Amino acid sequence: MRQELMAGLETTAGTSASTSSRYPNYVLGVLFVVTMLNFLDRQVISILAEPVKRDLGLTDTQIGLMTGLSFAIFYTTLAIPVAALADKWNRSRIIAIAIAVWSAMTVACGLSNNFIQLFLARVGVGIGEAGSAPASHSLIADLFPPERRAGALGILGMSVPIGAFIAYAGGGWIAENFSWRVAFFMAGLPGIIVALVIWFTVPDPRGKLSLAQAFERDPDKMTLTEALVQLSSKRAYWHLVAAGALVQFVSYGLASFYGGLFVRVHGIGYGELGWKLGVMVGLSGGFGAWLGGKAGDYFGKLRATLPLLISGLILVAAAPGMIWAIYAPSANIAVILLAIPTFAATFYYGPSFAALQRLASDQTRAMAVAIYLLIAGLIGLGVGPVFVGILSDMFAAELGEAGALQKALAFLALFNIWAGFHYWRVTAGMKNEA
């Protein structure tokens, strides 16, 4: 089967011709599952944070550190060297190894008995997940032509809310009926199987290249420094990075305290909260990613920057919707209103990553994604939850746990407007830099 796939790839005339075969769609489907598990294992801690806090006696600041910074430390910093490797070596191997590592470390989260152990296990999850996105995006860029790339990335983006749905619904139910430890076990184990599927059924179109050869200097390819220099000169690229960092700052800061918001303010149980949040995130987030991808393909033909401008406007409009959700009078109304910022936080996915690939050269595609993930991860995933946790602890003496968390999350919502500003700035520079 593998030899037939490789033979079929070798007889196609270039990348765009290969997209007419079944192989690109199969790879996209496998990467869909990989990214779904990526966000399942990353986000399951959000629904489990409150029972973990009660069981281990943690503060909101420690919750922020555990959910955000612990994961972001190596997830972001390792993304660049892994992306450099993905620009040369077998991307399928990189993805398979990555998912095996992060799945094993997710299981280790369930074995933790204190904050330090859980923090280190989350660091391990971040180390594993650092290898997935750059290699996946580079693989898709090789298999799909520019006019179909935003749509393919939009489909990949749909896996994010689906993974979150499983994390919230499944994690909440398991936590309520069994324990938060069992939830971590159940989240981590499927990834081992998927890693084997990738290893044996997804050959890289580049063919076979040894790891030693991948580290050899190729005079026809850019060095890491040269790639950084090329990308650093593109102002539109850095506005995209800033916008993405702020989107993640809001979305991860909010998601890390879903459990705290609903349990403290509305007194809802973990099982009920899990499936309601899961349905909301799955529907609104999935629709946002799908529509963003379609809008990227359609409006991108009219003007390359138009999908990005639309993404920015949607983010600005989401800020008041998020504040209304935070201060909603009931849990059901809050869940419904949270669909607004969730939609906005996934709509941008296809247009933004398609723009990143447009701005990057063939030799810096994975690097462009890695740098984006480095900065967006450190600021968004790393700092966002900690920002909310610190503010919440600061306000707790005056407002109590519930009111303090609401006020902290309301401050967070305003960063959506800042993200919208950067998308607007992209439109001024991308035309001359693409």
Side-chain angles (χ1 to χ4, degrees):
M1 178 64 180
R2 180 177 176 180
Q3 293 178 342
E4 292 175 358
L5 286 171
M6 291 303 297
L9 284 171
E10 291 171 357
T11 59
T12 54
T15 300
S16 39
S18 72
T19 58
S20 61
S21 70
R22 296 178 182 176
Y23 178 68
N25 292 329
Y26 171 74
V27 173
L28 181 59
V30 173
L31 294 180
F32 184 98
V33 175
V34 170
T35 307
M36 180 186 72
L37 290 175
N38 180 306
F39 276 79
L40 191 164
D41 290 354
R42 182 187 309 186
Q43 290 298 102
V44 71
I45 199 166
S46 297
I47 195 67
L48 303 178
E50 198 67 11
V52 169
K53 175 184 178 177
R54 305 303 179 192
D55 191 17
L56 301 183
L58 308 182
T59 66
D60 277 347
T61 300
Q62 287 178 313
I63 291 293
L65 290 168
M66 177 188 68
T67 58
L69 187 62
S70 61
F71 177 89
I73 290 173
F74 286 103
Y75 173 73
T76 54
T77 55
L78 284 179
I80 288 182
V82 171
L85 182 62
D87 278 330
K88 296 180 179 181
W89 193 50
N90 190 307
R91 290 161 291 189
S92 300
R93 294 287 187 265
I94 293 172
I95 296 168
I97 293 169
I99 189 172
V101 171
W102 92 57
S103 298
M105 297 309 295
T106 299
V107 172
C109 288
L111 299 173
S112 303
N113 293 312
N114 54 54
F115 172 73
I116 297 298
Q117 292 176 0
L118 190 55
F119 185 94
L120 292 176
R122 286 286 293 171
V123 167
V125 175
I127 290 173
E129 294 198 4
S132 176
S136 296
H137 284 240
S138 177
L139 201 54
I140 287 175
D142 272 1
L143 294 172
F144 292 88
E147 65 271 14
R148 292 184 57 200
R149 207 168 284 156
L153 288 168
I155 291 173
L156 189 68
M158 289 175 64
S159 64
V160 173
I162 293 175
F165 165 76
I166 299 172
Y168 295 143
W173 184 86
I174 293 173
E176 187 166 289
N177 290 277
F178 297 94
S179 74
W180 58 268
R181 297 182 186 278
V182 175
F184 277 121
F185 299 154
M186 297 299 293
L189 292 175
I192 306 299
I193 300 173
V194 176
L196 294 173
V197 171
I198 296 169
W199 188 277
F200 290 108
T201 72
V202 180
D204 192 313
R206 291 175 182 162
K208 296 181 179 179
L209 182 69
S210 71
L211 188 58
Q213 289 175 310
F215 283 103
E216 292 179 358
R217 174 73 173 101
D218 186 344
D220 297 326
K221 290 195 174 186
M222 288 185 178
T223 64
L224 174 59
T225 301
E226 290 169 341
L228 287 170
V229 169
Q230 184 187 98
L231 291 169
S232 67
S233 65
K234 296 177 179 290
R235 184 176 299 179
Y237 172 79
W238 293 106
H239 279 296
L240 277 174
V241 171
L246 291 166
V247 171
Q248 293 194 28
F249 186 86
V250 175
S251 61
Y252 283 114
L254 174 62
S256 295
F257 288 92
Y258 273 152
L261 176 66
F262 282 89
V263 172
R264 299 178 201 177
V265 176
H266 302 292
I268 191 173
Y270 300 118
E272 180 185 356
L273 172 61
W275 76 260
K276 286 183 176 179
L277 278 178
V279 170
M280 181 277 293
V281 171
L283 292 179
S284 61
F287 181 64
W290 176 82
L291 188 62
K294 291 297 182 181
D297 285 342
Y298 178 79
F299 291 108
K301 294 175 184 177
L302 303 177
R303 196 174 78 196
T305 56
L306 190 55
L308 300 170
L309 184 60
I310 295 171
S311 298
L313 292 173
I314 290 174
L315 283 165
V316 171
M322 179 172 162
I323 295 173
W324 292 336
I326 292 165
Y327 288 100
S330 71
N332 288 336
I333 294 176
V335 169
I336 293 171
L337 289 173
L338 281 174
I340 300 172
T342 303
F343 174 88
T346 55
F347 182 93
Y348 86 104
Y349 194 93
S352 292
F353 281 107
L356 288 177
Q357 298 295 341
R358 181 187 292 269
L359 288 166
S361 68
D362 290 343
Q363 294 175 310
T364 59
R365 283 173 175 167
M367 184 60 60
V369 175
I371 294 172
Y372 173 97
L373 292 174
L374 170 65
I375 298 175
L378 283 175
I379 296 175
L381 176 56
V383 182
V386 180
F387 173 82
V388 176
I390 291 174
L391 284 184
S392 179
D393 285 337
M394 286 174 55
F395 299 144
E398 176 188 357
L399 303 173
E401 277 195 334
L405 183 56
Q406 286 177 305
K407 188 173 182 178
L409 291 172
F411 272 111
L412 183 72
L414 302 177
F415 285 83
N416 268 331
I417 300 173
W418 191 359
F421 165 78
H422 283 290
Y423 276 118
W424 171 69
R425 291 298 299 155
V426 169
T427 64
M430 185 173 168
K431 182 183 295 185
N432 297 326
E433 297 177 9

